[in-house]
Amino acid sequence: MDVIDQALPELSLPGRGTTRALRCRVLQSPLAGVSDQIFRSLVRRWAPDALLFTEMVNATSLELGHGLQKIDELANEAGPIGVQLFDHRPEAMADAAQRAEAAGAFLIDINMGCPVRKIARKGGGSGLIRDPQLAAKIVSTVAAAVKIPVTVKTRLGWCGSDAKPIEWCQSLEQAGAQMLTLHARTREQGFKGSADWHAIAAVKSALQIPVIANGDVKSDMDAKRCLAITGADGVMVGRGSLGAPWLVGQIDAALSGRPVPATPGAAERLTIAREQLEALVQAKGEHGLLIARKHMGWTCSGFPGASKLRHALMRAPTPTDAISLLEQASAELITAWPEATNA
């Protein structure tokens, strides 16, 4: 049996006195506007031991009293949750990291890969790739401020012509990063083109710390091929989990040699969509419907009438209307497509 079909040992990150052990080698990527506590609770159903992350937290905003909920809600979660921070000011990042550690963060992850222009042009996210000295200063300052592990999520480089991923990643390791998640695209690529898994392999061979491969992992077969090519210590799932909170658990099961949970059928997807909608409305009031629309659009797919349902859900004026549409779709499925209830 291939090694990646066997149970993998825990991945130990010593921190600066507080050791963390990753029992699951499949991580759920932090996704802005997506990976809130409600989404994470869904992922947990299939992946109870996976390392999940908060949405990105701006250290400056946290300093001003904004975004506190993303930190404070850690106390109510089961399983390991990393807090991902971004900013260009080392001391602000250190202060935010200390706040997150006190709130129960499993580890601190520094975002050096977000390609969004408004973040990068202010020196945060992937903007730090263009200032490796500042990037190293942020890592060393944050690592010295907390006892839990500090990790970094980044990309191969700013653009293809100047990308030097090995040198870039070595500088982060030397600054004190204890694990690196590498998205195998440059900032210039954004999410276009194919992820260069061979570039991750080159970085992995040059580093001593664990490397997590990210980019184009959308199935258990993708994960196995990615690990075979990169030699990475694990994989991170990003956009593949949109509307599919079960994906992390499926990949973990496949890599560990356990039976892979079945992909939810139409009826179960409708139930998940309703649960997520109701939870968002309860947490955020009417605004929860606006957030839920994108989730419902991703989740309600792959069955007869899905396109028509999504069109109607995007235009539902109230949560009650949206729930009625989901209930009606469920009843129609049972009548017209009975096997959907057992899919």
Side-chain angles (χ1 to χ4, degrees):
M1 181 179 289
D2 195 293
V3 67
I4 61 173
D5 286 324
Q6 299 174 0
L8 298 170
E10 291 185 350
L11 195 60
S12 181
L13 305 177
R16 198 170 58 87
T18 300
T19 300
R20 300 299 200 197
L22 299 184
R23 299 176 59 186
C24 172
R25 298 296 188 96
V26 187
L27 287 61
Q28 169 66 58
S29 176
L31 297 167
V34 174
S35 56
D36 56 21
Q37 186 179 22
I38 294 166
F39 176 80
R40 296 195 299 267
S41 70
L42 291 174
V43 176
R44 280 271 177 253
R45 294 184 185 180
W46 288 271
D49 295 325
L51 174 60
L52 313 183
F53 290 88
T54 61
E55 300 170 82
M56 288 193 306
V57 177
N58 185 329
T60 295
S61 294
L62 199 64
E63 194 175 52
L64 297 173
H66 308 302
L68 293 173
Q69 181 181 354
K70 295 178 182 178
I71 302 297
D72 295 341
E73 66 188 11
L74 293 176
N76 301 320
E77 297 209 33
I81 303 290
V83 172
Q84 190 183 73
L85 302 173
F86 78 95
D87 208 303
H88 65 282
R89 298 185 301 142
E91 294 304 326
M93 289 284 282
D95 290 344
Q98 289 176 334
R99 183 189 291 268
E101 180 180 42
F106 185 80
L107 54 73
I108 302 298
D109 189 67
I110 301 174
N111 185 297
M112 296 188 182
C114 178
V116 176
R117 186 180 301 276
K118 67 179 181 180
I119 292 176
R121 71 184 179 190
K122 294 181 180 179
S126 60
L128 288 166
I129 297 173
R130 307 184 81 175
D131 194 343
Q133 289 187 330
L134 176 58
K137 176 65 173 176
I138 289 174
V139 172
S140 61
T141 302
V142 173
V146 296
K147 296 186 180 301
I148 58 178
V150 173
T151 65
V152 175
K153 185 175 189 293
T154 189
R155 288 175 172 250
L156 299 178
W158 182 259
C159 65
S161 60
D162 69 0
K164 297 179 180 179
I166 294 177
E167 294 178 17
W168 163 237
C169 294
Q170 284 178 327
S171 71
L172 299 174
E173 178 182 39
Q174 293 163 6
Q178 293 203 339
M179 184 173 75
L180 192 74
T181 298
L182 186 56
H183 185 145
R185 290 182 174 88
T186 63
R187 188 270 173 187
E188 181 182 48
Q189 284 181 276
F191 296 101
K192 298 177 182 178
S194 298
D196 185 356
W197 290 344
H198 292 284
I200 295 180
V203 170
K204 169 60 183 173
S205 66
L207 299 188
Q208 301 300 311
I209 59 175
V211 173
I212 304 298
N214 179 225
D216 292 351
V217 178
K218 300 177 182 179
S219 70
D220 56 350
M221 294 304 297
D222 288 340
K224 289 183 179 183
R225 288 192 302 107
C226 179
L227 291 177
I229 290 171
T230 64
D233 299 279
V235 295
M236 177 177 280
V237 179
R239 292 170 296 150
S241 63
L242 298 179
W246 49 84
L247 183 58
V248 171
Q250 288 180 324
I251 294 175
D252 178 44
L255 296 184
S256 301
R258 303 192 309 272
V260 177
T263 297
E268 189 174 354
R269 288 179 185 231
L270 290 171
T271 298
I272 291 169
R274 175 172 177 168
E275 289 178 359
Q276 194 167 14
L277 167 62
E278 290 176 336
L280 283 165
V281 171
Q282 182 177 5
K284 301 180 181 296
E286 291 287 321
H287 182 65
L289 174 60
L290 300 180
I291 300 172
R293 280 176 177 162
K294 58 189 173 187
H295 290 285
M296 293 188 294
W298 294 321
T299 304
C300 298
S301 63
F303 55 87
S307 178
K308 180 180 178 181
L309 173 61
R310 290 196 302 272
H311 183 83
L313 286 169
M314 295 308 105
R315 288 157 179 76
T318 69
T320 300
D321 292 317
I323 291 172
S324 295
L325 286 168
L326 291 169
E327 290 178 340
Q328 180 181 347
S330 182
E332 290 175 353
L333 275 173
I334 294 173
T335 302
W337 201 39
E339 60 269 29
T341 61
N342 300 317

